[in-house]
């Protein structure tokens, strides 16, 4: 896709990204109604082979989806998981014994050469390979033994939005399938997602806090940590604000020193064990006078400088990330517009990034 700005074409800046964010409830429903049976069959086939552990391979936004899958697999399935370093294979030519190891490669386009090469090498080394993409005709799908189509439809905006939430839901349903479960906790997501996206005015008001920000810190724990990383990526690639994402535990091990009363901090507070683990961090941030914005439970939003209360009551913690990222996608969009930039055309970016 051409990196033509909305201004150049006479169209509203951010029109494409805005439209694709709005499609997300429909995409989630499509996965649940049309994609779930195929995902379940794939999960059953792989579960029958009883992989001894799991390796996850991805780049960019898909890397954050892979991190989410790591939490799902380790917590729900008890399988040790690792995020791979592709250069060990593609640059250094390392040979690994991956017999009976499940290698999951997550990619929106399925076209990056390093993803394809590392997956091909993993399969040759004895791995069970699974590609999770938005393109069933991609080179990555072709070299993988198994494939899951996330059914997001064409994504034209450079910042990935609907493919990210589609990857999250597909990975959740896949892991539930490995556990011989039906993923019923996800059925509430399309309607709840629509309600979150309809609250755009609230997010626009939050965006005013960050129009002139020189840097931001985003933190969470547990299932919310991948959301923090994805939110930071969205802010950096659209508004160019340096956004640093930390696990709440890691934030206390040094980086907290850079937080002061003019430092914007966004905390994603899950309703569950991750939120419980994050509360001591929130107390430390409040003690330092941080400009703290909370995305999450209403009780924590009320204690913060500002925030966005998510409809998490009765929603399983492991699927809350699919809702958590929505106001943060909107925030990245609104901050970028407020700074006079076009989120549809981030500088120096291409839709398919080819790394080796």
């Amino acid at each position: 896709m051409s990196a033509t700005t909305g201004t150049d074409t006479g169209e509203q800046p951010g029109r494409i990204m805005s439209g694709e964010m709005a499609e997300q409830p429909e995409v989630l429903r499509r996965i649940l109604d049309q994609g779930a049976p195929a995902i379940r069959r794939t999960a059953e086939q792989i579960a029958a082979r009883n992989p001894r552990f799991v390796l996850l391979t991805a780049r960019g936004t898909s890397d954050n989806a892979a991190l989410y899958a790591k939490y799902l697999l380790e917590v729900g399935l008890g399988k040790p998981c690792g995020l791979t370093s592709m250069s060990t294979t593609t640059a250094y030519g390392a040979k690994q014994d991956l017999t009976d190891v499940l290698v999951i490669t997550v990619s929106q386009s399925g076209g990056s050469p390093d993803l394809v090469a590392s997956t091909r090498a993993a399969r040759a080394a004895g791995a069970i390979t699974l590609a999770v993409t938005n393109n069933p005709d991609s080179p990555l799908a072709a070299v993988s033994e198994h494939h899951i189509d996330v059914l997001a439809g064409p994504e034209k905006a450079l910042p990935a939005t609907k493919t990210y939430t589609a990857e999250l839901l597909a990975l959740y349903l896949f892991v539930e399938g490995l556990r011989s479960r039906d993923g019923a906790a996800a059925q509430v997501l399309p309607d709840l997602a629509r309600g979150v996206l309809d609250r755009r005015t609230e997010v626009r008001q939050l965006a005013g806090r960050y129009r002139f920000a020189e840097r931001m810190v985003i933190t969470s724990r547990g299932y919310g940590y991948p959301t923090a990383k994805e939110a930071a990526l969205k802010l950096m690639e659209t508004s160019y604000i340096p956004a640093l994402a930390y696990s709440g535990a890691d934030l206390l091990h040094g980086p907290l020193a850079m937080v002061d009363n003019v430092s914007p901090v966004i905390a994603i507070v899950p309703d569950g064990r991750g939120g419980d683990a994050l509360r001591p961090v929130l107390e430390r941030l409040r003690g330092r006078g941080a400009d703290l914005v909370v995305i999450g439970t209403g009780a924590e939003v009320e204690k913060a400088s500002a925030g966005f209360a998510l409809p998490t009551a009765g929603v399983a913690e492991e699927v809350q990330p699919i809702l958590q990222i929505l106001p943060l996608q909107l925030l990245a969009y609104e901050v970028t517009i407020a700074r006079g930039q076009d989120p549809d055309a981030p500088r120096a970016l291409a839709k398919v990034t080819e790394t080796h």
Side-chain angles (χ1 to χ4, degrees):
M1 170 183 156
S2 167
T4 303
T5 66
T7 301
D8 293 335
T9 63
E11 296 173 343
Q12 178 184 355
R15 176 186 60 83
I16 302 172
M17 181 181 178
S18 180
E20 290 177 349
M21 287 189 293
E23 289 178 32
Q24 289 176 103
E26 175 188 344
V27 172
L28 297 175
R29 176 55 62 195
R30 185 186 307 137
I31 295 168
L32 291 169
D33 291 347
Q34 301 175 25
I39 294 172
R40 180 65 181 269
R41 286 193 297 272
T42 299
E44 289 172 348
Q45 292 169 8
I46 292 174
R49 296 172 65 176
N50 192 28
R52 53 194 175 103
F53 62 88
V54 183
L55 292 175
L56 293 142
T57 304
R59 297 283 192 202
T61 283
S62 294
D63 199 32
N64 299 325
L67 180 59
Y68 167 73
K70 185 176 189 292
Y71 278 89
L72 291 173
L73 288 157
E74 290 185 343
V75 175
L77 203 64
K79 294 283 185 183
C81 299
L83 300 175
T84 62
S85 301
M86 280 176 277
S87 61
T88 59
T89 299
T90 60
Y92 293 94
K95 305 295 183 183
Q96 304 173 56
D97 179 6
L98 298 179
T99 305
D100 297 327
V101 174
L102 173 58
V103 173
I104 304 173
T105 306
V106 188
S107 170
Q108 174 203 335
S109 68
S112 186
D114 55 354
L115 295 170
V116 175
S118 63
T119 300
R120 183 186 291 113
R123 189 169 181 179
I128 307 161
T129 53
L130 168 66
V132 179
T133 81
N134 193 40
N135 183 2
D137 298 320
S138 64
L140 178 60
V143 300
S144 300
E145 183 179 357
H146 302 277
H147 177 257
I148 289 174
D149 184 354
V150 303
L151 299 175
E155 187 172 59
K156 297 180 180 179
L158 288 175
T161 54
K162 65 178 182 176
T163 52
Y164 178 68
T165 49
E167 287 173 350
L168 295 189
L169 180 54
L171 287 163
Y172 169 75
L173 293 174
F174 171 70
V175 176
E176 287 290 277
L178 293 178
R179 302 172 67 191
S180 298
R181 296 173 58 165
D182 63 5
Q187 290 294 331
V188 299
L189 293 174
D191 290 342
L192 292 178
R194 173 60 61 203
V196 170
L197 291 168
D198 284 346
R199 294 162 58 193
R200 192 164 192 155
T201 301
E202 292 179 50
V203 178
R204 189 172 296 123
Q205 291 171 350
L206 281 179
R209 307 175 74 89
Y210 306 117
R211 182 175 180 181
F212 301 107
E214 295 183 0
R215 70 162 186 254
M216 296 173 62
V217 172
I218 307 177
T219 188
S220 189
R221 292 206 65 178
Y223 289 109
Y225 179 44
T227 308
K229 290 176 67 69
E230 175 61 11
L233 177 60
K234 282 293 153 289
L235 282 159
M236 288 189 288
E237 69 183 358
T238 56
S239 69
Y240 320 139
I241 298 173
L244 308 173
Y246 294 101
S247 156
D250 287 333
L251 185 62
L252 296 184
H253 283 269
L256 184 67
M258 71 178 173
V259 176
D260 54 28
N261 59 5
V262 296
S263 301
V265 179
I266 296 176
I268 296 128
V269 185
D271 189 356
R273 295 185 183 183
D276 294 342
L278 190 63
R279 285 190 179 89
V281 182
L282 301 179
E283 292 297 329
R284 293 286 297 276
L285 288 167
R286 284 190 282 263
R288 292 192 61 81
D291 177 12
L292 178 62
V293 168
V294 165
I295 308 296
T297 66
E300 291 298 336
V301 168
E302 291 176 4
K303 299 177 188 177
S305 305
F308 188 100
L310 288 170
T312 57
V315 179
E317 183 180 357
E318 57 267 31
V319 299
Q320 289 176 29
I322 298 170
L323 300 176
Q324 291 164 352
I325 193 59
L326 300 178
L328 293 162
Q329 291 173 345
L330 291 171
L331 182 66
Y333 172 90
E334 294 292 349
V335 170
T336 304
I337 294 295
R339 289 164 72 96
Q341 295 152 200
D342 185 355
D344 283 343
R347 62 194 182 205
L349 292 184
K351 188 60 184 170
V352 179
T353 302
E354 295 189 357
T355 47
H356 296 269

